[in-house]
């Protein structure tokens, strides 16, 4: 199993946010997590990445059998866990190329492979940029600075393409993408996922699921995954809204 | 009161000042042209009336200069050493191979220097060399040009004591293709000394030159550099000036830079302050014409208990000029940085475009910053922006980098580097820029 989340409770300060999340992800699978605003989807994503603002109060997180609570954010990343941010961070003064090369080499080192020098990396990244149809001019620009919303999202998937993670958690990568960009980005995600890795998509729209076909769809409300199903669940949600799930919950 | 009596009195009040009066009096006045001895006397006369500046003075707020004031110093002549050859080689700048002036403990070292084929009429020399050649009149019209510093203690200490320093004279219509490297090497292993370099840079009408002024230490120690730079740009001249201050972290460095600018000239300065226990770097740019462009950028990166203070004044007296100023400051440990940037836009100075930004990055909780951007506008048709920020490394940026596999130390160093690198980007001498970037990278990783 790649990821195992068991009865996860998480607080930010005194505020309980996740209230018993269970999730299992195996290699080769695509999961979608949907749910209303503020239900805790991004919190789950950030907790997986080890964000310092959140405290795990009970439950457990395992990645490829390793207890994640023992790994720092950077160690998780080097171990093959990737988070595409809902709001990618701007880093003035660090060029996209420099940033990606550092990240790439950190991962290579962890895998016991040779690092690439700037020239070698340049060839490599230009190749990867084709996957998300990104203009090489973005290499010289500061990371995410003055990128449009859609360009930032593309840049996240480019990082995924460069780092080739075992588990990619993509937090609303589809939000803010125009129709063509959505198709490109979805194509990128598909070409990067295979037998040995898995993708968790956090999304509000069933649209992306037409391109990236999920094996499982989960609904999160108020810090819990309250319903899981297959792709049909996303279609039902689109039609009936989240109230339908909560009502069903209440009825059950 | 006679001068001697006044000196007695100063002696009692300020041994710091008095010792430099003594140094001055014991300097060799043989064959000194009259204008020079007069200017020395002027400086001495002002010195006996001056106090050492301290926290009560607006321009010296926040500073505790006891360790500077309470020390006694040898005059640089008594602390003469040869420049460490290997060290000079290590610091040499390949682009400036044919235009390097080396000074050791404040004294010009012809054997370690090299000036060759810089073009007709271009003079790259030193005060001591000019004096030896009986050619001091060449520089006469270019010294003592700004009364702005008249009441400044350090300016007058320099005036009463300077004997050496670089003299760079670029005649009109002349472009010096290679950068000129002034390398001040200090060896602090002996007794504490004080040196008062006076650097004169003159670019005639339509002339162009790049000057790298570097202070470095081959052996750490306590010494006191008290520098005055006088820089004049003729009409349409272009001067790029990079100052790299890497004096010993036990040393004191005070500098006064005077820049006078004629119409259509362009002065571009980048001051990098990394060294010295205490450094004070002041620049005064006077606009004597219109359509001038002046850039005073700076990078300060200090740690430990270092104190660095930068004061600048950009004085727009006439219309249609532009000034830029980006001062980036990184303060670690218990270090303390002060910035005061004045911009005057006088009544007749219409259509001025002036930008000033001071950004400070605090790397430790005990680090300290005082900043005061100061804009005084007396004209109505101007575009001015100024501001200051003080911040720390941002947690969301650190987290982002760490989710990409960089450990915290690496992430911190990359962000610190990114903060500072912008100032170095504009340095056109490749090897110097690369070296400074390397140095910066090294320093960010060490912290
Ligand atoms: N660091 C924090 N401190 C306090 N409250 C927080 C913190 N992070 C998240 N929250 C709160 O936790 C709840 C869940 O937030 P989260 O960002 O996980 O929601 P989400 O499901 O991703 O929502 P959206 O669909 O709008 O992106 C929200 O009410 C949010 O305000
Ligand atoms: Mg969210």
């Amino acid at each position: 199993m790649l990821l195992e989340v068991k009865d996860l409770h998480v607080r930010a300060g005194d505020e309980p946010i996740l209230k018993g999340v269970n999730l299992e992800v195996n290699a080769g699978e695509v999961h979608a997590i949907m749910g209303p605003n503020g239900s805790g989807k991004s919190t789950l994503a950030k907790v997986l990445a080890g964000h310092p603002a959140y405290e795990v109060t009970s439950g457990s997180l395992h990645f490829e059998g390793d207890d994640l609570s023992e790994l720092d954010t950077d160690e998780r990343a080097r171990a093959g866990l990737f988070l595409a941010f809902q709001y990618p961070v701007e880093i003035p003064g660090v060029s996209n190329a420099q940033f990606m090369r550092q990240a790439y080499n950190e991962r290579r080192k962890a895998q016991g492979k040779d690092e690439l020098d700037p020239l070698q990396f340049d060839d490599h990244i230009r190749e990867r940029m084709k996957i998300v149809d990104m203009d090489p001019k973005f290499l010289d620009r500061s990371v995410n600075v003055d990128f449009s919303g859609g360009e930032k999202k593309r840049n996240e998937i480019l990082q995924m393409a460069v780092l080739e993670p075992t588990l990619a958690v993509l937090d609303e990568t589809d939000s803010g993408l125009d129709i063509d960009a959505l198709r490109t980005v979805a194509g990128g995600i598909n070409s990067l996922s295979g037998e040995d890795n898995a993708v968790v998509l956090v999304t509000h729209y069933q649209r992306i699921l037409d391109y990236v076909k999920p094996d499982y769809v989960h609904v999160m409300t108020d810090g819990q995954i309250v319903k899981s199903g297959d792709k049909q669940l996303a279609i039902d949600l689109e039609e009936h809204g989240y109230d339908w799930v909560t009502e069903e919950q209440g009825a059950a | 009161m006679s001068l001697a009596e006044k000196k007695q009195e100063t002696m009692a009040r300020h041994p710091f000042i008095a010792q430099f009066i003594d140094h001055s009096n014991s300097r060799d006045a043989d064959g000194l042209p009259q204008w020079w001895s007069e200017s020395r006397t002027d400086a001495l006369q002002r010195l006996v009336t001056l106090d050492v500046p301290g926290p009560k003075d607006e321009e010296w707020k926040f500073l505790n200069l006891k360790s500077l004031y309470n020390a006694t110093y040898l005059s640089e002549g008594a602390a003469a050493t040869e420049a460490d050859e290997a060290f000079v080689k290590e610091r040499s700048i390949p682009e400036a191979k044919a235009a390097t002036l080396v000074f050791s403990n404040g004294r010009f070292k012809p054997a370690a220097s090299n000036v060759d084929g810089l073009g007709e009429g271009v003079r790259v020399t030193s005060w001591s060399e000019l004096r030896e050649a009986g050619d001091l009149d060449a520089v006469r019209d270019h010294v003592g040009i700004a009364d702005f510093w008249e009441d400044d203690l350090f300016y007058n200490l320099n005036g009463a004591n300077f004997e050496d320093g670089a003299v760079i004279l670029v005649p009109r219509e002349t472009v010096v293709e290679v950068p000129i490297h002034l390398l001040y090497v200090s060896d602090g292993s002996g007794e504490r000394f004080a040196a008062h370099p006076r650097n004169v840079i003159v670019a005639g009408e339509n002339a162009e030159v790049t000057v790298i002024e570097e202070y470095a230490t081959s052996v750490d120690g306590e010494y006191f550099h008290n520098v005055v730079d006088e820089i004049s740009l003729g009409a349409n001249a272009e001067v790029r000036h990079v100052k790299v201050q890497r004096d010993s972290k036990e040393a004191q460095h005070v500098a006064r830079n005077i820049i006078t600018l004629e119409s259509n000239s362009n002065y571009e300065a980048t001051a990098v302050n990394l060294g010295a226990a205490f450094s004070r770097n002041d620049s005064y740019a006077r606009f004597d014409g219109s359509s001038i462009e002046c850039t005073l950028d700076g990078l300060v990166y200090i740690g430990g208990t270092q104190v660095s203070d930068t004061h600048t004044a950009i004085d727009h007296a006439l219309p249609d000029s532009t000034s830029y100023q980006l001062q980036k400051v990184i303060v670690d440990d218990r270090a303390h940085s002060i910035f005061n940037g004045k911009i005057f836009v006088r009544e007749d100075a219409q259509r001025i475009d002036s930008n000033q930004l001071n950004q400070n990055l605090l790397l430790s909780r005990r680090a300290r910053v005082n900043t005061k951007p100061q804009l005084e506008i007396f004209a109505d048709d101007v575009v001015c922006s100024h501001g200051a920020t003080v911040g720390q490394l941002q947690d969301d940026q650190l987290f982002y980098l760490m989710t990409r596999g960089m450990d915290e130390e690496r992430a911190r160093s990359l962000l610190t580097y990114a903060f500072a690198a912008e100032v170095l980007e504009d340095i056109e001498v490749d090897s110097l820029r690369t070296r400074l970037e390397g140095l910066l990278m090294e320093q960010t990783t060490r912290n």
Side-chain angles (χ1 to χ4, degrees):
Chain A
M1 200 181 301
L2 274 188
L3 179 71
E4 186 182 32
V5 180
K6 261 199 205 154
D7 193 30
L8 183 72
H9 287 72
V10 167
R11 265 197 331 222
D14 291 333
E15 188 73 23
I17 300 175
L18 299 186
K19 303 165 184 171
V21 175
N22 290 289
L23 181 65
E24 289 182 2
V25 179
N26 292 295
E29 294 175 352
V30 174
H31 290 242
I33 300 179
M34 306 181 81
N37 294 133
S39 56
K41 303 178 300 295
S42 294
T43 302
L44 175 62
K46 284 189 270 184
V47 167
L48 287 173
H51 195 290
Y54 304 99
E55 187 196 343
V56 175
T57 50
S58 65
S60 66
L61 283 165
H62 284 85
F63 177 61
E64 295 191 299
D66 293 330
D67 183 354
L68 278 182
S69 70
E70 310 211 321
L71 298 181
D72 287 337
T73 297
D74 53 309
E75 294 169 319
R76 297 179 194 198
R78 293 197 296 271
L81 189 84
F82 177 81
L83 168 63
F85 283 53
Q86 182 175 3
Y87 304 108
V89 178
E90 300 188 358
I91 309 198
V94 178
S95 78
N96 222 10
Q98 185 189 7
F99 165 65
M100 301 236 187
R101 186 168 69 86
Q102 289 258 358
Y104 179 73
N105 280 337
E106 294 291 352
R107 178 106 165 98
R108 297 272 294 188
K109 259 192 292 187
Q111 293 169 327
K113 296 181 189 161
D114 283 345
E115 296 179 39
L116 296 190
D117 67 30
L119 277 178
Q120 295 168 316
F121 183 73
D122 193 61
D123 292 341
H124 178 68
I125 186 139
R126 278 165 195 270
E127 208 45 56
R128 304 312 273 175
M129 284 180 109
K130 289 180 190 155
I131 296 176
V132 284
D133 192 22
M134 232 171 120
D135 193 313
K137 75 175 184 210
F138 285 99
L139 287 175
D140 292 332
R141 294 198 19 199
S142 288
V143 180
N144 294 327
V145 176
D146 297 327
F147 284 31
S148 75
E151 287 163 353
K152 283 181 183 167
K153 297 302 174 79
R154 242 180 239 246
N155 206 38
E156 293 292 287
I157 300 307
L158 173 60
Q159 291 168 53
M160 175 182 167
V162 166
L163 296 172
E164 302 186 67
T166 326
L167 176 67
V169 180
L170 311 179
D171 191 357
E172 293 199 30
T173 303
D174 56 333
S175 300
L177 290 178
D178 67 44
I179 298 165
D180 292 338
L182 180 70
R183 204 173 293 136
T184 313
V185 163
I189 296 170
N190 282 331
S191 75
L192 294 166
S193 42
E195 299 272 285
D196 302 326
N197 54 24
V199 175
V200 176
L201 284 173
V202 174
T203 181
H204 285 296
Y205 309 104
Q206 96 91 25
R207 210 178 42 175
I208 189 170
L209 304 179
D210 288 340
Y211 301 105
V212 185
K213 302 256 178 334
D215 302 294
Y216 300 94
V217 175
H218 310 277
V219 181
M220 181 177 270
T221 59
D222 194 24
Q224 285 183 317
I225 288 179
V226 293
K227 195 173 173 64
S228 298
D230 59 11
K231 194 178 174 305
Q232 185 58 37
L233 178 55
I235 298 167
D236 294 343
L237 282 171
E238 190 98 330
E239 201 168 315
H240 305 296
Y242 291 116
D243 285 348
W244 164 69
V245 182
T246 4
E247 275 159 28
E248 201 180 59
Q249 277 286 113
Chain B
M1 230 188 308
S2 75
L3 195 59
E5 282 166 335
K6 276 190 188 165
K7 198 199 116 189
Q8 280 302 320
E9 198 194 82
T10 310
M11 187 69 158
R13 272 185 308 149
H14 295 302
F16 176 73
I17 302 178
Q19 65 181 312
F20 289 111
I21 295 176
D22 283 342
H23 287 183
S24 178
N25 286 331
S26 62
R27 287 183 192 272
D28 178 15
D30 230 24
L32 218 55
Q34 198 187 345
W35 58 267
W36 190 347
S37 28
E38 276 173 12
S39 90
R40 216 176 241 184
T41 312
D42 285 351
L44 282 170
Q45 259 161 356
R46 283 195 291 268
L47 279 180
V48 294
T49 68
L50 290 171
D51 278 344
V52 292
K56 287 201 197 79
D57 300 287
E58 185 58 30
E59 302 297 316
W60 296 85
K61 256 185 166 152
F62 313 114
L63 293 170
N64 175 353
L65 298 179
K66 274 202 195 101
S67 55
L68 175 68
Y69 294 154
N70 290 347
T72 50
Y73 303 86
L74 286 180
S75 133
E76 83 288 348
T81 52
E82 284 313 307
D84 177 337
E85 236 175 271
F87 184 81
V88 168
K89 201 163 165 207
E90 182 196 310
R91 288 301 167 89
S92 71
I93 291 173
E95 291 92 330
K97 212 171 63 195
T100 301
L101 300 183
V102 175
F103 298 81
S104 179
N105 290 4
R107 293 291 182 151
F108 180 59
K109 298 292 162 185
S113 304
N114 184 34
V115 174
D116 190 29
L118 293 183
E120 200 168 317
V122 177
R123 311 208 49 176
V124 175
T125 176
S126 67
W127 284 88
S128 51
E129 211 165 47
L130 285 177
R131 186 172 178 178
E132 216 160 283
D135 202 7
L136 280 166
D137 281 346
V139 70
R140 170 178 186 172
D141 291 341
H142 310 293
V143 284
I145 48 178
D147 45 20
F148 185 79
W149 301 100
E150 215 171 60
D151 299 321
D152 178 77
L153 173 67
F154 296 95
Y155 180 72
N156 285 304
L157 288 179
N158 180 290
N161 282 286
F162 82 85
E163 276 183 327
D164 220 336
V167 176
I168 298 170
L169 307 172
V170 185
R172 50 180 305 170
E173 315 294 335
T174 306
V175 175
V176 182
E177 301 284 354
V178 298
I180 297 165
H181 187 196
L182 315 180
L183 180 58
Y184 281 91
V185 181
S186 293
D187 175 344
S189 60
E191 256 180 90
R192 188 191 298 119
F193 68 92
H196 307 265
R198 171 77 60 117
N199 299 307
V200 177
I201 302 168
V202 180
E205 204 176 312
N206 282 313
E208 256 178 66
V209 65
T210 298
V211 178
I212 301 157
E213 178 189 359
E214 178 173 2
Y215 297 85
T217 180
S218 56
V219 184
D220 276 314
E222 298 178 47
Y223 55 87
F224 171 35
H225 256 140
N226 182 40
V227 185
V228 170
D229 279 9
E230 296 188 271
I231 301 163
S232 327
L233 280 74
N236 213 28
E238 212 177 302
V239 172
R240 286 169 297 268
H241 183 191
V242 183
K243 174 170 173 176
V244 181
Q245 187 271 106
R246 293 174 70 190
D247 267 324
S248 167
K249 288 187 181 162
E250 297 161 40
Q252 321 270 352
H253 183 105
V254 175
R256 272 79 193 80
N257 306 291
I258 300 145
I259 305 111
T260 60
L261 300 152
E262 284 179 31
S263 287
N264 295 300
S265 60
N266 181 355
Y267 176 70
E268 226 181 283
T270 307
V272 180
N273 273 285
L274 306 173
F278 167 67
S279 66
R280 169 80 181 235
N281 199 43
D282 288 15
S283 297
Y284 172 68
R286 194 181 69 198
F287 290 53
D288 290 338
S290 56
S291 305
I292 291 161
E293 233 182 275
C294 175
T295 305
L296 298 183
D297 286 348
L299 172 64
V300 172
Y301 191 169
I302 50 176
T305 55
Q306 284 180 288
V307 177
S308 180
D309 188 354
T310 299
H311 275 52
T312 59
I314 295 176
D315 197 349
H316 290 285
L318 293 162
D320 296 308
S321 289
T322 309
S323 66
Y324 304 95
Q325 187 168 27
L326 176 64
Q327 178 79 9
K328 293 234 183 190
V329 176
I330 304 171
V331 193
D332 203 352
D333 306 321
R334 288 189 293 146
H336 181 190
S337 160
I338 300 146
F339 173 73
N340 180 301
K342 294 184 182 63
I343 294 174
F344 304 109
V345 182
R346 311 268 179 204
E347 210 173 336
D348 294 332
Q350 300 296 353
R351 296 173 303 280
I352 294 298
D353 185 348
S354 170
N355 301 283
Q356 180 188 58
L357 180 61
N358 169 224
Q359 293 182 307
N360 299 277
L361 177 62
L362 300 176
L363 294 181
S364 113
R365 279 188 305 139
R366 301 177 73 184
R368 203 175 140 204
V369 158
N370 295 98
T371 171
K372 188 174 178 189
Q374 205 179 330
L375 198 52
E376 291 183 29
I377 306 181
F378 303 96
D380 42 33
D381 182 11
V382 297
V383 184
C384 289
S385 68
H386 75 154
T389 61
V390 181
Q392 296 162 355
L393 292 178
Q394 307 227 327
D395 288 340
D396 61 340
Q397 295 181 342
L398 282 170
F399 179 66
Y400 192 63
L401 293 178
M402 289 175 70
T403 62
R404 301 310 185 237
M406 293 170 220
D407 64 23
E408 184 171 347
E409 198 178 316
R410 191 86 213 80
R412 282 186 184 279
S413 118
L414 186 62
L415 291 176
T416 306
Y417 178 84
F419 173 84
E422 191 184 351
V423 177
L424 304 180
E425 260 164 31
D426 293 336
I427 295 176
E428 284 172 24
V429 182
D430 289 338
S431 72
L432 177 66
R433 190 188 53 253
T434 312
R435 188 181 299 174
L436 288 172
E437 284 170 350
L439 202 65
L440 185 62
M441 192 57 103
E442 206 179 283
Q443 195 159 340
T444 59
T445 352
R446 200 173 42 229
N447 284 322

